[in-house]
Amino acid sequence: MTLIRNPVLPGFNPDPSIVRVGEDYYVATSTFEWFPGVQIHHSRDLVNWRLLTRPLTRASQLNMLGAPDSCGVWAPCLTHADGRFWLIYTDVKRYGRTTVGGASGASLRDFHNYLVTADSIEGPWSDPVFLNSSGFDPSLFHDDDGRKWLLNMLWDHRPGRNRFAGIVAQEYDAFTARLIGEREMIFPGTPLGLTEAPHLYKRDGWYHLITAEGGTGFGHAVTMARSRTLEGPYELHPDGPVLTARDRPHAPLQRAGHADLVETPDGQTWMAYLCGRPLPNRGRCVLGRETAIQPMTWGDDGWLRTRDGSGDPELTPPGPDLPAAPWPAPPAWTDFGGPDLPIDFQWLRSPFPQDLFSLTARPGWLRLFGRETIGSQYRQALVARRQQAHCYSARTVVDFAPQHFQQAAGLVCYYGANKFHYLFVSRDDAHGRHLQVMSALPDSPQADAFTAPVALPDAGLVHLRVEVDFERLRFAWSLDGEAWSWLPELFDASILSDEATAPGAPNFTGAFVGMACQDLSGTARPADFDGFGYVERGYAARAGVEDQGR
């Protein structure tokens, strides 16, 4: 029997929406402020997955310049009907204050919901149709009578109100490409609260509504309700949450929620949902919110349950009865020899990548143009890939000749503007060209910290390397890529997580590792990177204490 190893989409891949078209399965996940928008993974057996495409690639579809951290693209919904793919997403412009104690700011939010379509999953995808701005987590339901309905959670900013006010539905007219009729509140939620992420299904004459409740942290849960009519009223599942790790410290997959359903050709129902894997010593999820999948069963009473009825997320459920369809293993070293950025890499916010980097200015190298500060919400020259394992090694080679202290480039472990460790090359009058680490610390009285400068030759390539083992992070550098010099500091990798934060701030992404370049003088001094290595590995007890020859 083939076992699934959850999460099937490791690293920052939250809010899964799953669909089957013939023998192919596709999962769309949120990308927040990372560009291009929406990740779509592909599988033929629900066991083996590959990153296939990102559909929101141009300014007419998505422009996140100025978007705060953890805003941008939330909770896509991917469906297939009438011979084409339908993708709905939220573009969040302002997060606003939450209900967490100590949070600052107003409880106002701006989010706009859009629809794009394509005949092929790989595009081209259409320009967007604006839908509404009343709440986030939109979902499109194709009823069997040919009508289409948009569902989303309703945001209520008024004082004393439930800000997660429930699930509303409104009909969508595909011929005129607009919503028609009035929106209707169809489900107010349960006492768990924070009702969001609606998806609707029809089975045996029932409309089954699935939602996420309890917040996207450790209280997350999947709830279900059903009705004979789309408008309701909906009766709640008699067991409470269908799947959750709430109050279940034994569960290796925590934060389970935000689910969607798909059926295999034999009628087996599968649930895709987000989850998190906390660091054993810290309880922080540096890998962000990931995507897991497991088989479900329909009871004689017509309600959906986990296989054993416990509601627990499964770490290694049995796979489906489908032919194995593995994909080639990813390379350990990525060259920048092609015309396009390799698919594992993304950048931040801007739909104008030519302003940030070039793959043709120096063939075979990735050139980053020095732009704004690291953490800028506008033009930040940072290209990175997801951290997808608790233990990994990464390295790159940089050719960079800074002229003064306002120019820097190097290797960065990054979560957001207030959470990163950045090993960079710069220059100043006191030290000449040198190497240094800047850390942005979200949970320290000192918000940023710098290590002592390490002198470098005035010119030449510099090899940069990072070793991460759970919450431990070490940096090293070399002039030849063989003899490595380790920085003495031991850095805290656990700050690159949702849980390391000031009260009420949005934290919904995950840790990345990649390359960055700044020129705060405005002259766009470039840095060239000759490839990037990323290798997931087992725990190395002495990584960074001595060179292990990797």
Side-chain angles (χ1 to χ4, degrees), residues 236-250:
L236 290 174
H237 196 294
D239 299 349
V242 178
L243 183 140
T244 187
R246 290 174 62 93
D247 304 319
R248 301 178 188 188
H250 65 281

mmCIF file of all heavy atoms in Angstrom, residues 236-250:
data_model
loop_
_atom_site.group_PDB
_atom_site.id
_atom_site.type_symbol
_atom_site.label_atom_id
_atom_site.label_comp_id
_atom_site.label_asym_id
_atom_site.label_seq_id
_atom_site.Cartn_x
_atom_site.Cartn_y
_atom_site.Cartn_z
ATOM 1 N N LEU A 236 -25.949 22.155 11.469
ATOM 2 C CA LEU A 236 -24.550 21.878 11.749
ATOM 3 C C LEU A 236 -24.272 20.389 11.813
ATOM 4 O O LEU A 236 -25.143 19.579 12.174
ATOM 5 C CB LEU A 236 -24.146 22.522 13.069
ATOM 6 C CG LEU A 236 -24.060 24.051 13.097
ATOM 7 C CD1 LEU A 236 -23.789 24.527 14.519
ATOM 8 C CD2 LEU A 236 -22.972 24.529 12.146
ATOM 9 N N HIS A 237 -23.058 20.024 11.499
ATOM 10 C CA HIS A 237 -22.594 18.647 11.636
ATOM 11 C C HIS A 237 -22.765 18.209 13.093
ATOM 12 O O HIS A 237 -22.374 18.940 14.011
ATOM 13 C CB HIS A 237 -21.119 18.571 11.231
ATOM 14 C CG HIS A 237 -20.625 17.189 10.963
ATOM 15 N ND1 HIS A 237 -20.535 16.218 11.937
ATOM 16 C CD2 HIS A 237 -20.164 16.610 9.819
ATOM 17 C CE1 HIS A 237 -20.052 15.104 11.410
ATOM 18 N NE2 HIS A 237 -19.820 15.317 10.125
ATOM 19 N N PRO A 238 -23.330 17.048 13.345
ATOM 20 C CA PRO A 238 -23.615 16.651 14.733
ATOM 21 C C PRO A 238 -22.372 16.419 15.582
ATOM 22 O O PRO A 238 -22.454 16.449 16.821
ATOM 23 C CB PRO A 238 -24.415 15.346 14.564
ATOM 24 C CG PRO A 238 -24.043 14.836 13.211
ATOM 25 C CD PRO A 238 -23.815 16.058 12.375
ATOM 26 N N ASP A 239 -21.205 16.187 14.945
ATOM 27 C CA ASP A 239 -19.984 15.891 15.704
ATOM 28 C C ASP A 239 -19.166 17.129 16.033
ATOM 29 O O ASP A 239 -18.110 17.017 16.663
ATOM 30 C CB ASP A 239 -19.094 14.921 14.917
ATOM 31 C CG ASP A 239 -19.763 13.588 14.652
ATOM 32 O OD1 ASP A 239 -20.828 13.334 15.260
ATOM 33 O OD2 ASP A 239 -19.251 12.814 13.839
ATOM 34 N N GLY A 240 -19.604 18.294 15.591
ATOM 35 C CA GLY A 240 -18.750 19.461 15.736
ATOM 36 C C GLY A 240 -17.737 19.517 14.604
ATOM 37 O O GLY A 240 -18.034 19.091 13.473
ATOM 38 N N PRO A 241 -16.514 20.014 14.842
ATOM 39 C CA PRO A 241 -15.528 20.102 13.767
ATOM 40 C C PRO A 241 -15.271 18.745 13.107
ATOM 41 O O PRO A 241 -15.159 17.714 13.769
ATOM 42 C CB PRO A 241 -14.282 20.618 14.475
ATOM 43 C CG PRO A 241 -14.805 21.379 15.654
ATOM 44 C CD PRO A 241 -16.028 20.632 16.085
ATOM 45 N N VAL A 242 -15.189 18.761 11.795
ATOM 46 C CA VAL A 242 -14.964 17.528 11.032
ATOM 47 C C VAL A 242 -13.505 17.117 11.095
ATOM 48 O O VAL A 242 -13.174 15.934 11.124
ATOM 49 C CB VAL A 242 -15.401 17.737 9.564
ATOM 50 C CG1 VAL A 242 -15.148 16.491 8.733
ATOM 51 C CG2 VAL A 242 -16.862 18.131 9.503
ATOM 52 N N LEU A 243 -12.630 18.116 11.131
ATOM 53 C CA LEU A 243 -11.197 17.858 11.212
ATOM 54 C C LEU A 243 -10.558 19.028 11.931
ATOM 55 O O LEU A 243 -10.827 20.190 11.620
ATOM 56 C CB LEU A 243 -10.589 17.691 9.821
ATOM 57 C CG LEU A 243 -9.102 17.343 9.760
ATOM 58 C CD1 LEU A 243 -8.823 16.310 8.668
ATOM 59 C CD2 LEU A 243 -8.247 18.582 9.507
ATOM 60 N N THR A 244 -9.709 18.730 12.928
ATOM 61 C CA THR A 244 -9.065 19.785 13.691
ATOM 62 C C THR A 244 -7.949 19.207 14.548
ATOM 63 O O THR A 244 -7.945 18.011 14.864
ATOM 64 C CB THR A 244 -10.079 20.519 14.598
ATOM 65 O OG1 THR A 244 -9.449 21.640 15.200
ATOM 66 C CG2 THR A 244 -10.621 19.602 15.686
ATOM 67 N N ALA A 245 -6.997 20.066 14.931
ATOM 68 C CA ALA A 245 -6.000 19.709 15.937
ATOM 69 C C ALA A 245 -6.188 20.565 17.196
ATOM 70 O O ALA A 245 -5.299 20.611 18.041
ATOM 71 C CB ALA A 245 -4.591 19.875 15.383
ATOM 72 N N ARG A 246 -7.329 21.235 17.315
ATOM 73 C CA ARG A 246 -7.636 22.015 18.521
ATOM 74 C C ARG A 246 -7.558 21.122 19.753
ATOM 75 O O ARG A 246 -8.137 20.028 19.780
ATOM 76 C CB ARG A 246 -9.062 22.572 18.451
ATOM 77 C CG ARG A 246 -9.289 23.656 17.434
ATOM 78 C CD ARG A 246 -10.778 24.004 17.387
ATOM 79 N NE ARG A 246 -11.236 24.524 18.675
ATOM 80 C CZ ARG A 246 -11.277 25.815 18.983
ATOM 81 N NH1 ARG A 246 -10.875 26.728 18.111
ATOM 82 N NH2 ARG A 246 -11.719 26.216 20.159
ATOM 83 N N ASP A 247 -6.853 21.577 20.768
ATOM 84 C CA ASP A 247 -6.789 20.834 22.036
ATOM 85 C C ASP A 247 -6.293 19.405 21.831
ATOM 86 O O ASP A 247 -6.665 18.493 22.580
ATOM 87 C CB ASP A 247 -8.170 20.819 22.723
ATOM 88 C CG ASP A 247 -8.711 22.222 22.936
ATOM 89 O OD1 ASP A 247 -7.925 23.101 23.315
ATOM 90 O OD2 ASP A 247 -9.915 22.425 22.700
ATOM 91 N N ARG A 248 -5.445 19.213 20.827
ATOM 92 C CA ARG A 248 -4.916 17.872 20.545
ATOM 93 C C ARG A 248 -3.398 17.963 20.387
ATOM 94 O O ARG A 248 -2.863 17.912 19.280
ATOM 95 C CB ARG A 248 -5.553 17.293 19.279
ATOM 96 C CG ARG A 248 -7.072 17.202 19.387
ATOM 97 C CD ARG A 248 -7.749 16.672 18.153
ATOM 98 N NE ARG A 248 -9.201 16.794 18.276
ATOM 99 C CZ ARG A 248 -10.079 16.285 17.427
ATOM 100 N NH1 ARG A 248 -9.665 15.612 16.361
ATOM 101 N NH2 ARG A 248 -11.373 16.446 17.607
ATOM 102 N N PRO A 249 -2.691 18.098 21.504
ATOM 103 C CA PRO A 249 -1.230 18.253 21.410
ATOM 104 C C PRO A 249 -0.528 17.035 20.848
ATOM 105 O O PRO A 249 0.631 17.133 20.437
ATOM 106 C CB PRO A 249 -0.829 18.524 22.870
ATOM 107 C CG PRO A 249 -1.939 17.956 23.694
ATOM 108 C CD PRO A 249 -3.182 18.143 22.893
ATOM 109 N N HIS A 250 -1.215 15.893 20.801
ATOM 110 C CA HIS A 250 -0.593 14.689 20.251
ATOM 111 C C HIS A 250 -0.482 14.732 18.726
ATOM 112 O O HIS A 250 0.289 13.970 18.139
ATOM 113 C CB HIS A 250 -1.426 13.462 20.632
ATOM 114 C CG HIS A 250 -2.802 13.455 20.010
ATOM 115 N ND1 HIS A 250 -3.839 14.201 20.510
ATOM 116 C CD2 HIS A 250 -3.292 12.820 18.906
ATOM 117 C CE1 HIS A 250 -4.921 14.022 19.771
ATOM 118 N NE2 HIS A 250 -4.621 13.189 18.786
#
